[in-house]
mmCIF file of all heavy atoms in Angstrom:
data_model
loop_
_atom_site.group_PDB
_atom_site.id
_atom_site.type_symbol
_atom_site.label_atom_id
_atom_site.label_comp_id
_atom_site.label_asym_id
_atom_site.label_seq_id
_atom_site.Cartn_x
_atom_site.Cartn_y
_atom_site.Cartn_z
ATOM 1 N N MET A 423 16.653 -158.421 48.581
ATOM 2 C CA MET A 423 15.626 -158.469 49.628
ATOM 3 C C MET A 423 15.720 -157.259 50.542
ATOM 4 O O MET A 423 14.802 -156.967 51.286
ATOM 5 C CB MET A 423 15.810 -159.765 50.434
ATOM 6 C CG MET A 423 14.656 -160.040 51.372
ATOM 7 S SD MET A 423 14.518 -161.764 51.821
ATOM 8 C CE MET A 423 15.940 -162.021 52.849
ATOM 9 N N TRP A 425 15.492 -154.078 49.999
ATOM 10 C CA TRP A 425 14.443 -153.080 49.828
ATOM 11 C C TRP A 425 13.143 -153.541 50.458
ATOM 12 O O TRP A 425 12.371 -152.764 50.979
ATOM 13 C CB TRP A 425 14.236 -152.781 48.339
ATOM 14 C CG TRP A 425 14.126 -154.014 47.495
ATOM 15 C CD1 TRP A 425 15.117 -154.610 46.788
ATOM 16 C CD2 TRP A 425 12.965 -154.820 47.306
ATOM 17 N NE1 TRP A 425 14.643 -155.728 46.158
ATOM 18 C CE2 TRP A 425 13.334 -155.895 46.436
ATOM 19 C CE3 TRP A 425 11.644 -154.756 47.752
ATOM 20 C CZ2 TRP A 425 12.439 -156.871 46.031
ATOM 21 C CZ3 TRP A 425 10.747 -155.739 47.348
ATOM 22 C CH2 TRP A 425 11.153 -156.786 46.494
ATOM 23 N N ILE A 427 12.878 -155.546 53.078
ATOM 24 C CA ILE A 427 13.040 -155.410 54.517
ATOM 25 C C ILE A 427 12.820 -153.963 54.911
ATOM 26 O O ILE A 427 12.151 -153.657 55.884
ATOM 27 C CB ILE A 427 14.435 -155.879 54.980
ATOM 28 C CG1 ILE A 427 14.585 -157.370 54.731
ATOM 29 C CG2 ILE A 427 14.656 -155.550 56.439
ATOM 30 C CD1 ILE A 427 15.986 -157.885 54.954
ATOM 31 N N MET A 429 10.990 -151.784 53.521
ATOM 32 C CA MET A 429 9.591 -151.388 53.409
ATOM 33 C C MET A 429 8.787 -151.797 54.632
ATOM 34 O O MET A 429 7.761 -151.216 54.934
ATOM 35 C CB MET A 429 8.932 -152.053 52.191
ATOM 36 C CG MET A 429 9.258 -151.413 50.875
ATOM 37 S SD MET A 429 8.289 -152.163 49.551
ATOM 38 C CE MET A 429 6.770 -151.211 49.645
ATOM 39 N N LEU A 430 9.253 -152.840 55.318
ATOM 40 C CA LEU A 430 8.429 -153.401 56.376
ATOM 41 C C LEU A 430 8.771 -152.840 57.744
ATOM 42 O O LEU A 430 8.775 -153.544 58.718
ATOM 43 C CB LEU A 430 8.572 -154.931 56.381
ATOM 44 C CG LEU A 430 8.025 -155.621 55.136
ATOM 45 C CD1 LEU A 430 8.245 -157.127 55.221
ATOM 46 C CD2 LEU A 430 6.536 -155.354 54.952
ATOM 47 N N ASP A 632 -3.458 -160.308 80.935
ATOM 48 C CA ASP A 632 -3.938 -160.970 79.715
ATOM 49 C C ASP A 632 -4.470 -159.951 78.721
ATOM 50 O O ASP A 632 -4.257 -160.065 77.520
ATOM 51 C CB ASP A 632 -5.033 -161.987 80.071
ATOM 52 C CG ASP A 632 -4.477 -163.188 80.814
ATOM 53 O OD1 ASP A 632 -3.277 -163.485 80.643
ATOM 54 O OD2 ASP A 632 -5.237 -163.821 81.571
ATOM 55 N N VAL A 636 -0.675 -157.702 75.003
ATOM 56 C CA VAL A 636 -0.729 -157.288 73.607
ATOM 57 C C VAL A 636 -1.819 -156.230 73.517
ATOM 58 O O VAL A 636 -2.983 -156.510 73.800
ATOM 59 C CB VAL A 636 -1.041 -158.471 72.663
ATOM 60 C CG1 VAL A 636 -1.217 -157.976 71.228
ATOM 61 C CG2 VAL A 636 0.073 -159.513 72.734
ATOM 62 N N ASP A 638 -4.191 -154.047 71.503
ATOM 63 C CA ASP A 638 -4.791 -154.042 70.174
ATOM 64 C C ASP A 638 -5.406 -152.680 69.891
ATOM 65 O O ASP A 638 -6.195 -152.177 70.681
ATOM 66 C CB ASP A 638 -5.858 -155.130 70.071
ATOM 67 C CG ASP A 638 -5.261 -156.531 70.131
ATOM 68 O OD1 ASP A 638 -4.654 -156.942 69.127
ATOM 69 O OD2 ASP A 638 -5.370 -157.188 71.183
ATOM 70 N N GLU A 669 3.574 -156.541 72.620
ATOM 71 C CA GLU A 669 3.340 -156.002 71.283
ATOM 72 C C GLU A 669 2.193 -155.003 71.317
ATOM 73 O O GLU A 669 1.272 -155.132 72.137
ATOM 74 C CB GLU A 669 2.966 -157.156 70.322
ATOM 75 C CG GLU A 669 2.796 -156.737 68.874
ATOM 76 C CD GLU A 669 2.102 -157.774 68.001
ATOM 77 O OE1 GLU A 669 1.649 -158.812 68.516
ATOM 78 O OE2 GLU A 669 2.019 -157.527 66.783
ATOM 79 N N ALA A 673 -4.985 -153.248 63.601
ATOM 80 C CA ALA A 673 -5.997 -154.094 62.979
ATOM 81 C C ALA A 673 -5.553 -154.636 61.627
ATOM 82 O O ALA A 673 -6.152 -155.582 61.119
ATOM 83 C CB ALA A 673 -7.299 -153.314 62.830
ATOM 84 N N SER A 674 -4.500 -154.048 61.037
ATOM 85 C CA SER A 674 -4.007 -154.553 59.753
ATOM 86 C C SER A 674 -3.054 -155.717 59.936
ATOM 87 O O SER A 674 -2.539 -156.264 58.964
ATOM 88 C CB SER A 674 -3.278 -153.427 59.003
ATOM 89 O OG SER A 674 -2.017 -153.167 59.616
ATOM 90 N N GLY A 675 -2.779 -156.076 61.189
ATOM 91 C CA GLY A 675 -1.837 -157.150 61.474
ATOM 92 C C GLY A 675 -0.442 -156.646 61.756
ATOM 93 O O GLY A 675 0.427 -157.414 62.190
ATOM 94 N N THR A 677 2.744 -154.744 63.516
ATOM 95 C CA THR A 677 3.222 -154.478 64.869
ATOM 96 C C THR A 677 3.641 -153.018 64.946
ATOM 97 O O THR A 677 4.469 -152.573 64.158
ATOM 98 C CB THR A 677 4.429 -155.368 65.202
ATOM 99 O OG1 THR A 677 4.031 -156.732 65.147
ATOM 100 C CG2 THR A 677 4.984 -155.051 66.577
ATOM 101 N N ALA A 704 9.028 -156.731 71.294
ATOM 102 C CA ALA A 704 9.264 -157.902 70.443
ATOM 103 C C ALA A 704 10.712 -157.994 69.969
ATOM 104 O O ALA A 704 11.243 -159.088 69.763
ATOM 105 C CB ALA A 704 8.315 -157.880 69.248
ATOM 106 N N ASP A 705 11.363 -156.868 69.768
ATOM 107 C CA ASP A 705 12.747 -156.869 69.267
ATOM 108 C C ASP A 705 13.780 -156.628 70.367
ATOM 109 O O ASP A 705 14.949 -156.382 70.065
ATOM 110 C CB ASP A 705 12.908 -155.795 68.185
ATOM 111 C CG ASP A 705 12.207 -156.157 66.899
ATOM 112 O OD1 ASP A 705 11.938 -157.362 66.685
ATOM 113 O OD2 ASP A 705 11.917 -155.249 66.098
ATOM 114 N N ASP A 708 16.627 -158.946 69.999
ATOM 115 C CA ASP A 708 17.297 -158.882 68.691
ATOM 116 C C ASP A 708 18.012 -157.560 68.494
ATOM 117 O O ASP A 708 19.089 -157.505 67.897
ATOM 118 C CB ASP A 708 16.269 -158.978 67.533
ATOM 119 C CG ASP A 708 15.390 -160.190 67.610
ATOM 120 O OD1 ASP A 708 15.901 -161.258 67.973
ATOM 121 O OD2 ASP A 708 14.194 -160.069 67.294
ATOM 122 N N PRO B 128 3.448 -151.460 54.164
ATOM 123 C CA PRO B 128 3.032 -151.536 52.753
ATOM 124 C C PRO B 128 1.718 -152.308 52.637
ATOM 125 O O PRO B 128 1.448 -153.234 53.402
ATOM 126 C CB PRO B 128 4.159 -152.317 52.085
ATOM 127 C CG PRO B 128 5.277 -152.382 53.046
ATOM 128 C CD PRO B 128 4.745 -152.093 54.400
ATOM 129 N N LEU B 136 5.124 -155.148 43.034
ATOM 130 C CA LEU B 136 6.567 -155.277 42.859
ATOM 131 C C LEU B 136 6.933 -156.394 41.897
ATOM 132 O O LEU B 136 8.106 -156.547 41.535
ATOM 133 C CB LEU B 136 7.238 -155.523 44.216
ATOM 134 C CG LEU B 136 7.179 -154.346 45.191
ATOM 135 C CD1 LEU B 136 7.709 -154.758 46.554
ATOM 136 C CD2 LEU B 136 7.947 -153.148 44.660
ATOM 137 N N GLU B 143 10.177 -164.307 48.417
ATOM 138 C CA GLU B 143 11.062 -163.522 49.284
ATOM 139 C C GLU B 143 10.461 -163.357 50.673
ATOM 140 O O GLU B 143 11.165 -163.405 51.680
ATOM 141 C CB GLU B 143 11.318 -162.150 48.659
ATOM 142 C CG GLU B 143 12.096 -162.224 47.374
ATOM 143 C CD GLU B 143 13.196 -161.175 47.285
ATOM 144 O OE1 GLU B 143 13.692 -160.705 48.329
ATOM 145 O OE2 GLU B 143 13.557 -160.823 46.158
ATOM 146 N N MET B 147 11.956 -164.352 54.320
ATOM 147 C CA MET B 147 12.068 -163.388 55.414
ATOM 148 C C MET B 147 11.376 -163.903 56.673
ATOM 149 O O MET B 147 11.878 -163.755 57.776
ATOM 150 C CB MET B 147 11.455 -162.055 55.009
ATOM 151 C CG MET B 147 12.244 -161.312 53.964
ATOM 152 S SD MET B 147 11.374 -159.826 53.409
ATOM 153 C CE MET B 147 11.353 -158.896 54.927
ATOM 154 N N LEU B 153 16.915 -161.695 60.762
ATOM 155 C CA LEU B 153 16.084 -160.498 60.788
ATOM 156 C C LEU B 153 15.515 -160.292 62.184
ATOM 157 O O LEU B 153 15.467 -161.211 62.994
ATOM 158 C CB LEU B 153 14.931 -160.622 59.787
ATOM 159 C CG LEU B 153 15.325 -160.758 58.314
ATOM 160 C CD1 LEU B 153 14.077 -160.863 57.451
ATOM 161 C CD2 LEU B 153 16.179 -159.564 57.877
ATOM 162 N N HIS B 155 12.628 -159.682 64.989
ATOM 163 C CA HIS B 155 11.335 -160.333 65.202
ATOM 164 C C HIS B 155 10.211 -159.600 64.469
ATOM 165 O O HIS B 155 9.341 -160.224 63.860
ATOM 166 C CB HIS B 155 11.019 -160.320 66.697
ATOM 167 C CG HIS B 155 10.797 -161.665 67.251
ATOM 168 N ND1 HIS B 155 11.611 -162.236 68.190
ATOM 169 C CD2 HIS B 155 9.811 -162.571 66.995
ATOM 170 C CE1 HIS B 155 11.140 -163.429 68.487
ATOM 171 N NE2 HIS B 155 10.059 -163.657 67.781
ATOM 172 N N THR B 156 10.231 -158.292 64.552
ATOM 173 C CA THR B 156 9.128 -157.546 63.942
ATOM 174 C C THR B 156 9.224 -157.559 62.415
ATOM 175 O O THR B 156 8.204 -157.521 61.736
ATOM 176 C CB THR B 156 9.065 -156.104 64.465
ATOM 177 O OG1 THR B 156 10.323 -155.479 64.299
ATOM 178 C CG2 THR B 156 8.656 -156.067 65.924
ATOM 179 N N GLN B 157 10.424 -157.629 61.862
ATOM 180 C CA GLN B 157 10.539 -157.761 60.413
ATOM 181 C C GLN B 157 9.975 -159.106 59.966
ATOM 182 O O GLN B 157 9.242 -159.188 58.979
ATOM 183 C CB GLN B 157 12.007 -157.619 59.980
ATOM 184 C CG GLN B 157 12.531 -156.201 60.069
ATOM 185 C CD GLN B 157 14.025 -156.099 59.887
ATOM 186 O OE1 GLN B 157 14.774 -157.029 60.237
ATOM 187 N NE2 GLN B 157 14.485 -154.977 59.364
ATOM 188 N N ARG B 160 6.174 -158.973 60.142
ATOM 189 C CA ARG B 160 5.507 -158.255 59.047
ATOM 190 C C ARG B 160 5.522 -159.089 57.776
ATOM 191 O O ARG B 160 4.573 -159.069 56.999
ATOM 192 C CB ARG B 160 6.162 -156.898 58.847
ATOM 193 C CG ARG B 160 5.864 -156.008 60.021
ATOM 194 C CD ARG B 160 6.290 -154.574 59.846
ATOM 195 N NE ARG B 160 6.090 -153.897 61.120
ATOM 196 C CZ ARG B 160 7.077 -153.437 61.891
ATOM 197 N NH1 ARG B 160 8.321 -153.533 61.503
ATOM 198 N NH2 ARG B 160 6.800 -152.873 63.042
ATOM 199 N N VAL B 163 2.726 -161.613 58.140
ATOM 200 C CA VAL B 163 1.413 -161.016 57.841
ATOM 201 C C VAL B 163 1.233 -160.881 56.335
ATOM 202 O O VAL B 163 0.177 -161.194 55.785
ATOM 203 C CB VAL B 163 1.271 -159.644 58.526
ATOM 204 C CG1 VAL B 163 0.053 -158.889 57.999
ATOM 205 C CG2 VAL B 163 1.174 -159.800 60.034
ATOM 206 N N LEU B 187 4.779 -164.512 68.813
ATOM 207 C CA LEU B 187 4.506 -163.371 67.934
ATOM 208 C C LEU B 187 4.256 -163.865 66.513
ATOM 209 O O LEU B 187 3.264 -163.473 65.884
ATOM 210 C CB LEU B 187 5.681 -162.392 67.955
ATOM 211 C CG LEU B 187 5.584 -161.222 66.963
ATOM 212 C CD1 LEU B 187 4.410 -160.310 67.294
ATOM 213 C CD2 LEU B 187 6.884 -160.412 66.947
ATOM 214 N N ARG B 190 0.896 -165.602 66.202
ATOM 215 C CA ARG B 190 -0.226 -164.649 66.135
ATOM 216 C C ARG B 190 -0.343 -164.053 64.738
ATOM 217 O O ARG B 190 -1.435 -163.892 64.192
ATOM 218 C CB ARG B 190 -0.038 -163.521 67.159
ATOM 219 C CG ARG B 190 -0.035 -163.976 68.597
ATOM 220 C CD ARG B 190 -0.282 -162.826 69.568
ATOM 221 N NE ARG B 190 0.708 -161.762 69.519
ATOM 222 C CZ ARG B 190 1.792 -161.716 70.285
ATOM 223 N NH1 ARG B 190 2.052 -162.709 71.118
ATOM 224 N NH2 ARG B 190 2.613 -160.689 70.213
ATOM 225 N N LYS B 191 0.795 -163.727 64.140
ATOM 226 C CA LYS B 191 0.759 -163.141 62.793
ATOM 227 C C LYS B 191 0.333 -164.180 61.763
ATOM 228 O O LYS B 191 -0.330 -163.858 60.777
ATOM 229 C CB LYS B 191 2.143 -162.568 62.431
ATOM 230 C CG LYS B 191 2.597 -161.447 63.355
ATOM 231 C CD LYS B 191 1.540 -160.386 63.539
ATOM 232 C CE LYS B 191 1.981 -159.337 64.521
ATOM 233 N NZ LYS B 191 0.894 -158.368 64.797
ATOM 234 N N PHE B 194 -3.394 -164.319 61.675
ATOM 235 C CA PHE B 194 -3.934 -163.186 60.911
ATOM 236 C C PHE B 194 -3.818 -163.458 59.420
ATOM 237 O O PHE B 194 -4.764 -163.268 58.644
ATOM 238 C CB PHE B 194 -3.171 -161.923 61.304
ATOM 239 C CG PHE B 194 -3.723 -160.662 60.705
ATOM 240 C CD1 PHE B 194 -4.607 -159.867 61.408
ATOM 241 C CD2 PHE B 194 -3.367 -160.256 59.418
ATOM 242 C CE1 PHE B 194 -5.133 -158.705 60.857
ATOM 243 C CE2 PHE B 194 -3.882 -159.110 58.861
ATOM 244 C CZ PHE B 194 -4.768 -158.325 59.585
ATOM 245 N N GLN B 218 -2.419 -165.213 74.582
ATOM 246 C CA GLN B 218 -2.340 -164.188 73.527
ATOM 247 C C GLN B 218 -2.600 -164.804 72.160
ATOM 248 O O GLN B 218 -3.198 -164.163 71.292
ATOM 249 C CB GLN B 218 -0.980 -163.488 73.575
ATOM 250 C CG GLN B 218 -0.740 -162.694 74.855
ATOM 251 C CD GLN B 218 -1.858 -161.700 75.153
ATOM 252 O OE1 GLN B 218 -2.406 -161.071 74.245
ATOM 253 N NE2 GLN B 218 -2.201 -161.559 76.427
ATOM 254 N N ARG B 225 -9.601 -163.173 67.156
ATOM 255 C CA ARG B 225 -9.786 -162.007 66.269
ATOM 256 C C ARG B 225 -9.760 -162.437 64.805
ATOM 257 O O ARG B 225 -10.545 -161.932 63.988
ATOM 258 C CB ARG B 225 -8.687 -160.975 66.521
ATOM 259 C CG ARG B 225 -8.805 -160.246 67.848
ATOM 260 C CD ARG B 225 -7.716 -159.187 67.995
ATOM 261 N NE ARG B 225 -7.680 -158.660 69.345
ATOM 262 C CZ ARG B 225 -8.481 -157.712 69.805
ATOM 263 N NH1 ARG B 225 -9.366 -157.152 69.015
ATOM 264 N NH2 ARG B 225 -8.388 -157.290 71.062
ATOM 265 N N ASN B 248 -10.271 -168.558 80.408
ATOM 266 C CA ASN B 248 -9.673 -167.243 80.641
ATOM 267 C C ASN B 248 -10.702 -166.154 80.360
ATOM 268 O O ASN B 248 -11.292 -166.109 79.277
ATOM 269 C CB ASN B 248 -8.446 -167.076 79.748
ATOM 270 C CG ASN B 248 -7.753 -165.762 79.985
ATOM 271 O OD1 ASN B 248 -8.217 -164.714 79.511
ATOM 272 N ND2 ASN B 248 -6.659 -165.782 80.712
#
Side-chain angles (χ1 to χ4, degrees):
Chain A
M423 191 158 70
W425 48 263
I427 295 171
M429 282 186 86
L430 294 179
D632 290 335
V636 175
D638 292 286
E669 184 194 5
S674 73
T677 298
D705 289 339
D708 305 321
Chain B
L136 293 173
E143 294 224 25
M147 290 174 64
L153 298 180
H155 237 115
T156 54
Q157 287 170 330
R160 291 188 187 112
V163 168
L187 174 65
R190 297 198 299 268
K191 298 310 176 185
F194 186 96
Q218 295 307 322
R225 289 183 190 278
N248 182 283

